[in-house]
Amino acid sequence: MQTITVSDAVGQALAEEMRRDPRVLMFGEGVATKRHDLVAEFGTQRVRNTPLAEGIIAGTAAGAAAMGLRPVVDLLFAPFLTLSMDAIINSAGKLRYLSGGQFEFPMVVLTMTGAGWGVGAQHNHNLEAMFVHAPGLKVVMPSSAADFKGLMKAAIRDDNPVLFFMDLALAHVPGPVPEGEHLVSIGRAAVLREGRDVTLVSYAKTVGHCLQAAQALQEQGVSAEVIDLRTLKPIDEATVLASVRKTGRLIVVHEASRLCGVGAEVAAIVSEKAFGALTAPVMRLTGPDAPSASSWVLEQAGVPQADAIRDAALRLVNTETVAA
């Protein structure tokens, strides 16, 4: 087992898949500049920079995928996905269905999102729910270096377009990662901590905040189960439902804003399929419905933190130690 950063785990996955399959190539904004090792090993035909033109990059990837290649494109910051949505949603997401399966679209769209670098509202906006809503797409948003590697390899091998969101604050966080072949199935959540009193469901950066909250709750006699969704579409309903049926309480935590977010979908699934098991209302802790601040301090104020998660859990289990 090696210890490497999330960014290096993604690079390792790319290198291994490019060695395994000559149809895998990578292009986008600054990829050849950032990943010299890939350029040195695979050459400029397979790793190349592009102009800052997100729509053209995504459209080129959709065309390349339809012709049998397996492109990975890097569009840098998630807010600029809005410039590429026609190619991703109307072409890559729909044409496999519309062509009766004559075309496949094995492409990965890599992008960065979330608070942590103070890059301002136009470079920081959690848009993952928009793509969860679009048919034909898969959406992943891991939290650990090992999952970044395993899910990137799985995404490259998938015959459907996969949106791969990297939380900016996690990019340089190290973690244990298996060497060599390591795949994580798309659509499988992970139970990171077992508990009996309340279920905390999250993804990306706020998974770590949930684990911190669970540790604090344990010190106050409350046992919290922590689930990392890892994949937002398809979502692992079975793991979430099994946990809620055990604990009877659910808090969904994410940095994106609440309205029509992933938390709303999880809450609806539990309400439809496990309502009888609930002993308290489902709670959501999310970011605000507002543009992100450039100030790091203000930016952090928009992210659900461990203390807020702990306090919400205490309210749900109706203890006498609820924070004011």
Side-chain angles (χ1 to χ4, degrees), residues 93-207:
K94 297 178 182 175
L95 289 177
R96 188 176 186 187
Y97 172 82
L98 293 176
S99 69
Q102 294 181 75
F103 293 96
E104 296 176 338
F105 290 87
M107 56 184 274
V108 179
V109 178
L110 176 63
T111 187
M112 297 184 293
T113 188
W117 285 9
V119 291
Q122 290 185 315
H123 290 74
N124 173 15
H125 189 178
N126 289 75
L127 297 176
E128 60 269 18
M130 287 187 181
F131 295 91
V132 171
H133 192 68
L137 306 179
K138 296 185 178 181
V139 181
V140 301
M141 198 163 173
S143 70
S144 70
D147 285 349
F148 269 92
K149 178 178 178 180
L151 281 166
M152 176 55 75
K153 289 170 71 72
I156 292 171
R157 299 184 192 187
D158 201 290
D159 288 332
N160 299 286
V162 180
L163 273 291
F164 199 103
F165 288 91
M166 175 189 289
D167 194 314
L168 268 169
L170 299 176
H172 299 293
V173 174
V177 178
E179 297 187 46
E181 184 76 340
H182 169 62
L183 287 167
V184 175
S185 298
I186 293 176
R188 295 280 186 84
V191 179
L192 300 184
R193 181 185 178 115
E194 294 192 355
R196 64 177 184 281
D197 297 324
V198 60
T199 299
L200 307 178
V201 173
S202 189
Y203 58 90
K205 167 200 303 117
T206 46
V207 169

Side-chain angles (χ1 to χ4, degrees), residues 247-321:
T247 66
R249 303 176 183 89
L250 170 64
I251 301 175
V252 191
V253 184
H254 58 62
E255 183 181 332
S257 61
R258 174 176 307 200
L259 192 65
C260 298
V262 172
E265 178 62 26
V266 174
I269 290 169
V270 170
S271 297
E272 288 174 348
K273 300 182 179 179
F275 184 78
L278 290 171
T279 58
V282 174
M283 184 176 289
R284 287 176 287 162
L285 294 181
T286 71
D289 182 22
S292 180
S294 297
S295 158
W296 188 87
V297 175
L298 292 176
E299 192 183 53
Q300 292 303 304
V303 181
Q305 303 291 335
D307 289 351
I309 301 167
R310 177 204 61 198
D311 293 348
L314 289 173
R315 284 196 293 274
L316 275 192
V317 298
N318 197 28
T319 68
E320 296 180 354
T321 54

